Amino acid sequence: MYEFAPTPGQPKSALYADLLEAAQAITQDEPDAVANMANCAALLGQFLPDLNWAGFYRMVGGELVLGPFVGKPACIRIALGQGVCGTAAATGETQLVLDVHAFPGHIACDAASRSELVVPVKRDGTVIAVIDLDSPLHARFDADDAAGIEALAAALAQRI
Ligand code: SME
């Protein structure tokens, strides 16, 4: 049994430091990518408040394919350049979307989603996956969230 848990009321920087530490601890001795993504999706859901979806899409054969996640069932395949995830994968840049309804081509997997953060996971400069977070709250994510998830993505690049 693992006993990772966020400390109530901690500042966001400490929350992301604890999340990163937990993710590194739970993945460090495990070579299986699916197992590591599954546990990290669970940690994201456990540590980050006000999410309705958190998980991974993987680059497979030139498109994004659904990976381990917590949340409602989601669209399985996303072409590069489509939606928030496909834009992150195509550009290699984090996508911080305060209002998904204002994002051209946003793919609504869960009608409850209002804001979204998508961070590419790069290995040797190539996008191998994206981490996708959805929230039912408008403007749930800010630059601190982006930095926290980017640090997580960097830590996972060799483990997924
Ligand atoms: N909203 C995403 C699709 C994935 S779901 O949010 C899980 C997008 O526009 O790429």
Side-chain angles (χ1 to χ4, degrees), residues 53 57 74-75 78 82-86 105-107 109 116 132 134:
W53 202 93
Y57 280 88
C75 38
I78 299 175
Q82 283 195 352
V84 187
C85 291
H106 168 254
I107 302 164
C109 292
E116 185 161 0
D132 181 16
D134 285 56

